[in-house]
Amino acid sequence: QVVQKAATSSVVTSSANPSVSGQGVTYTAIVSASPPAIGTPTGTATFKDGVSNIAGCVAQPLVAGIATCPVTYPGVGTHAITAVYSGDANFVTSTSPTLTQFVDQGATTTVVTSSVNPSVSGQTLTYTATVSESPPATGTPTGTATFMDGVANVPSCVAQPLGAGMVTCAVTYPGVGIHAITALYSGDPNFAASTSAVLTQAVNQASTATVLTSSANPSVSGQTVTYTATVSAVAPGAGTPTGTVDFQDGGVTITGCVAQPLVAGSASCVVTNPTLGAHSITAVYSGNVDFSGSTSPTLTQWVTQGALSASVGDPLPIPDSGASAAAAAI
């Protein structure tokens, strides 16, 4: 009686097919005896991708007729997987049918954030788009991201290349408003495109500071004085405020100095102060759409008496007829 080796049948399966870029996949080879043979084959199985052995999956020992091979594919593609059973003393070798493993693009999630929200008129802020893979995908997406304000691209922030999955966009808004910001990830060969949720960026009025100066302080009675108000944006705001300035003396607007227009951030008021004493002068900036109003610190304007002077050689008063003797004496 001659007892020969029994034939075997090998089958390979995948834990996830299709899988996505960066996802871990486990191939399982099941080797069984072909009837009329019975028993559990031992030995090893080698997993192959096309004609090449899969690294780390050569001569994997069978346990209860099963061997496994863990694999991670970093990129999209198609793989022709087979399991080759080595045979043992009682069972002959066999090769599984080909399993076609598909690896698709991994899904991504894009998030956009702002360095400061709300910001103020003239302030520079930075948007950051962070693109990450969605499980079970792993890896770092590459490609570009475009920042949009509503349906329009943000100037100079189109197709910005990602570095370590991130990209930034610097923006300065000169005026008050609301901006609907999104970041659009382009995708790459291994990761699918995605769009962030809308970030609502608010831009508020910038604060201002008003400074008041006098052309002459102290002045003298009857002297013309020019008050100058200079209005500037307070950091982090920037820009040149427009609008008007009221000049006040003790809280009462000075006649002729109502709503003086700002030119390049300055307005002036020309006044002649006949009244002796101290005057409490302030400049009140009205504000505008993009800049809030402000009041200068009080400037104390001193008005003093004018000095009288006589020069040598000035004619003396002509004496009256009753003072001729006195005149002769002089």
Side-chain angles (χ1 to χ4, degrees):
Q1 178 69 40
V2 177
V3 181
Q4 297 179 337
K5 287 185 178 183
T8 59
S9 174
S10 295
V11 176
V12 64
T13 61
S14 170
S15 61
N17 195 11
S19 61
V20 296
S21 178
Q23 180 179 1
V25 175
T26 299
Y27 296 128
T28 300
I30 303 172
V31 183
S32 56
S34 297
I38 59 172
T40 303
T42 60
T44 64
T46 294
F47 294 82
K48 302 175 77 71
D49 187 343
V51 297
S52 301
N53 293 338
I54 298 176
C57 293
V58 177
Q60 299 293 92
L62 268 68
V63 176
I66 296 174
T68 60
C69 167
V71 177
T72 299
Y73 295 110
V76 168
T78 301
H79 302 267
I81 307 301
T82 54
V84 180
Y85 169 54
S86 63
D88 64 11
N90 298 317
F91 294 92
V92 299
T93 185
S94 60
T95 300
S96 71
T98 298
L99 166 72
T100 301
Q101 175 71 37
F102 297 96
V103 182
D104 296 337
Q105 285 181 316
T108 60
T109 300
T110 300
V111 176
V112 64
T113 58
S114 170
S115 60
V116 55
N117 193 9
S119 60
V120 296
S121 177
Q123 181 177 6
T124 298
L125 58 92
T126 300
Y127 296 127
T128 300
T130 303
V131 183
S132 56
E133 72 284 1
S134 298
T138 61
T140 302
T142 60
T144 64
T146 294
F147 294 83
M148 300 193 70
D149 188 343
V151 297
N153 294 336
V154 177
S156 74
C157 292
V158 177
Q160 300 294 93
L162 270 68
M166 301 176 67
V167 65
T168 59
C169 167
V171 179
T172 301
Y173 295 111
V176 166
I178 299 295
H179 301 268
I181 306 300
T182 53
L184 281 61
Y185 169 55
S186 64
D188 67 12
N190 298 320
F191 292 95
S194 59
T195 300
S196 72
V198 174
L199 167 71
T200 301
Q201 176 70 41
V203 182
N204 296 336
Q205 285 181 317
S207 299
T208 60
T210 300
V211 176
L212 179 64
T213 59
S214 170
S215 62
N217 195 12
S219 61
V220 296
S221 179
Q223 180 179 359
T224 297
V225 176
T226 299
Y227 300 125
T228 300
T230 302
V231 183
S232 57
V234 175
T240 302
T242 59
T244 62
V245 174
D246 283 354
F247 293 83
Q248 298 183 352
D249 185 346
V252 178
T253 301
I254 299 170
T255 302
C257 293
V258 178
Q260 298 296 96
L262 284 170
V263 178
S266 294
S268 61
C269 166
V270 179
V271 178
T272 299
N273 287 317
T275 305
L276 299 179
H279 297 263
S280 299
I281 309 300
T282 54
V284 181
Y285 169 54
S286 63
N288 67 7
V289 173
D290 300 321
F291 295 93
S292 62
S294 59
T295 300
S296 71
T298 299
L299 168 71
T300 302
Q301 176 71 42
W302 294 95
V303 182
T304 62
Q305 288 180 323
L308 297 177
S309 62
S311 301
V312 175
D314 284 349
L316 294 172
I318 298 174
D320 59 28
S321 59
S324 58
I330 292 172

